[in-house]
Amino acid sequence: MTAIAHFDDHDVVAFARWLEADLAAVIERPVWSMSTQQSEQALISLTRVRGQVDALLMRVLRQAEAVGAGMDTGATSTTSWWSHATHTTRAEAHRTARLAKALEAHDEVAHGLATGDLRTDQARVIADAVDDLPDAVEDWVPAAATRFLLDMAGEHDAKDLRVLGRRLLEAVDPEAADAEEARRLEAEEADALAAASFSMADDGNGTCHGRFTVPSLQGAMLAKDLKARVARELKKSGADGERDVGRPPSLTRHRMGRAFVDYIETRPAGATPKAGGVAATVVVTMDLDTLLGGLAAASLDTGCRISAGEARRIACRAGIIPVVLGGPSVPLDVGRKRRFHTEAQRLAMGIRDGGCTAAGCDAPPAMTEAHHDEVTWCEGGGTSVERGRLLCSPHHRRIHDPSFQHSLDKHGKVRFTRRT
């Protein structure tokens, strides 16, 4: 097959016609007679030529974009026209167009591809890695980084180059790399903290489900604690001795879940924060009979119900406060010796009131304050559960506001009306 040249053909057009014709002529020739050495040489040469052809194609593509090739067909861009005309996927066509544009800013990389020293995927990785360098680097760094990766391309494929590219600054300018890593880590940590979230819901069948997002540091702290608890439980049960020496314990999701339960139950009591004057602990209310072995269920101040056996088990755990009805308890009336309600009094009021006692308010106990009902402390009233009630901060301010008067409805809720 002979290429037909036209007198006005550009050299590149004439070459493309000739190459297409000569390839068509040789492509069907049998290769069974090629020796080992010839096969090796042909593979290497054709691989180099493939990169060179790609380099030429991308230069022509940039020129085609400049003169608006294919735009008279109604195409949205030259690249889209080329994709349609050659049945190249749009994704691959635009990927090639992006590399063609990038190579115009990377002369050494473009030259390496044009001479056959680089593969196309290597050229893409090098250009991307250099372009991804921080804006704040010194002027000499991009050129040095390019030369470093070009040298490495003689020994590494695109995959290895991508790995090297991730730590490119460290190889070229270690001092700047340290500063950039510190800046990047600080930014990542700030973003992670800003994205921190926690959600949890009870399905009504005795199980809570939740999701959380925390920074890597806190995630590592939690994971290390839970893994240590799993290892401790395996050792206590004897299962630890059954595994091979040097292998970590089997960290199944169930074992990690059990460890998380243990983590929650064994929090140090002193580390529990306070809310509304009361430590943020779960209050378990039960009859004395339940504590002594009865079957009646117990109640949590969150509104949940638990079995008698579970109530007895956790009654002495840290972070759990048992309130036994009908049995000995902390004295709740401290009379005139103390103005503010004690924590024990606040707990009792929280169980009794369930939260803010203003009509229509659903603020939980942790969001309330203790109010001296009927007779204030300043007027000689006592500090007791019987003469106190819980009110959220806005309603507590309102009950002392002289521009409002208040009364109790039939449900014992406080109702406010503005004085006229």
Side-chain angles (χ1 to χ4, degrees), residues 39-385:
S39 299
E40 293 171 349
Q41 291 176 345
L43 283 173
I44 293 174
S45 295
L46 289 172
T47 300
R48 293 174 62 88
V49 168
R50 185 165 63 176
Q52 292 175 294
V53 172
D54 278 348
L56 181 58
L57 181 147
M58 285 186 282
R59 287 181 56 211
V60 173
L61 178 58
R62 290 297 289 165
Q63 173 61 18
E65 290 176 331
V67 299
M71 297 302 289
D72 56 353
T73 66
T76 57
S77 68
T78 295
T79 302
S80 296
W81 165 80
W82 171 53
S83 168
H84 177 75
T86 61
H87 306 294
T88 303
T89 64
R90 288 177 59 85
E92 180 59 26
H94 285 278
R95 191 164 175 254
T96 301
R98 287 193 297 271
L99 177 57
K101 183 178 180 179
L103 289 180
E104 290 184 343
H106 298 277
D107 293 339
E108 289 186 78
V109 182
H111 177 73
L113 188 61
T115 58
D117 294 333
L118 283 181
R119 310 287 75 77
T120 303
D121 54 354
Q122 289 178 311
R124 178 177 286 109
V125 169
I126 294 173
D128 288 346
V130 175
D131 287 341
D132 286 342
L133 287 170
D135 295 334
V137 296
E138 296 185 37
D139 294 340
W140 61 269
V141 172
T146 300
R147 288 192 295 273
F148 171 77
L149 288 177
L150 286 173
D151 290 342
M152 293 297 102
E155 302 174 2
H156 300 279
D157 60 19
K159 183 179 179 181
D160 290 342
L161 287 177
R162 186 172 291 107
V163 175
L164 291 170
R166 293 194 189 106
R167 306 196 66 88
L168 181 57
L169 190 59
E170 185 176 316
V172 177
D173 189 355
E175 185 174 340
D178 290 342
E180 172 59 22
E181 183 177 38
R183 184 204 62 77
R184 177 179 57 80
L185 289 175
E186 287 180 359
E188 288 178 353
E189 290 164 357
D191 290 344
L193 189 58
S197 65
F198 181 88
S199 61
M200 186 174 67
D202 195 307
D203 62 10
N205 296 311
T207 304
C208 280
H209 306 270
R211 299 183 63 179
F212 68 88
T213 300
V214 296
S216 296
L217 171 61
Q218 285 71 25
M221 293 168 64
L222 176 60
K224 193 163 188 177
D225 188 293
L226 298 187
K227 290 175 182 178
R229 291 169 188 264
V230 170
R232 181 185 63 190
E233 290 304 309
L234 289 174
K235 189 171 184 178
K236 285 170 57 177
S237 65
D240 184 68
E242 298 175 3
R243 63 184 176 90
D244 295 337
V245 177
R247 292 185 58 189
S250 181
L251 300 174
T252 64
R253 294 179 63 182
H254 174 65
R255 283 175 175 157
M256 291 291 282
R258 291 287 296 267
F260 190 41
V261 170
D262 185 66
Y263 175 85
I264 295 171
E265 287 192 1
T266 57
R267 293 172 302 154
T272 305
K274 289 181 178 287
V278 179
T281 52
V282 174
V283 180
V284 183
T285 304
M286 68 187 87
D287 293 332
L288 180 59
D289 289 342
T290 298
L291 181 63
L292 297 178
L295 299 177
S299 300
L300 305 183
D301 60 343
T302 59
C304 297
R305 302 272 286 172
I306 60 174
S307 69
E310 184 71 353
R312 287 190 291 271
R313 184 185 71 83
I314 67 174
C316 60
R317 298 300 295 266
I320 304 293
I321 296 179
V323 176
V324 182
L325 304 180
S329 59
V330 177
L332 299 178
D333 192 339
V334 295
R336 294 286 299 163
K337 292 184 179 179
R338 181 167 181 154
R339 176 178 180 179
F340 298 107
H341 290 83
T342 66
E343 184 168 333
Q345 290 174 317
R346 281 298 314 270
L347 289 171
M349 293 166 70
I351 295 168
R352 182 196 64 195
D353 295 342
C356 179
T357 55
C361 184
D362 58 359
M367 304 297 292
T368 63
E369 301 166 354
H371 168 67
H372 295 79
D373 205 11
E374 299 179 359
V375 182
T376 66
W377 190 85
C378 295
E379 297 171 339
T383 301
S384 67
V385 173

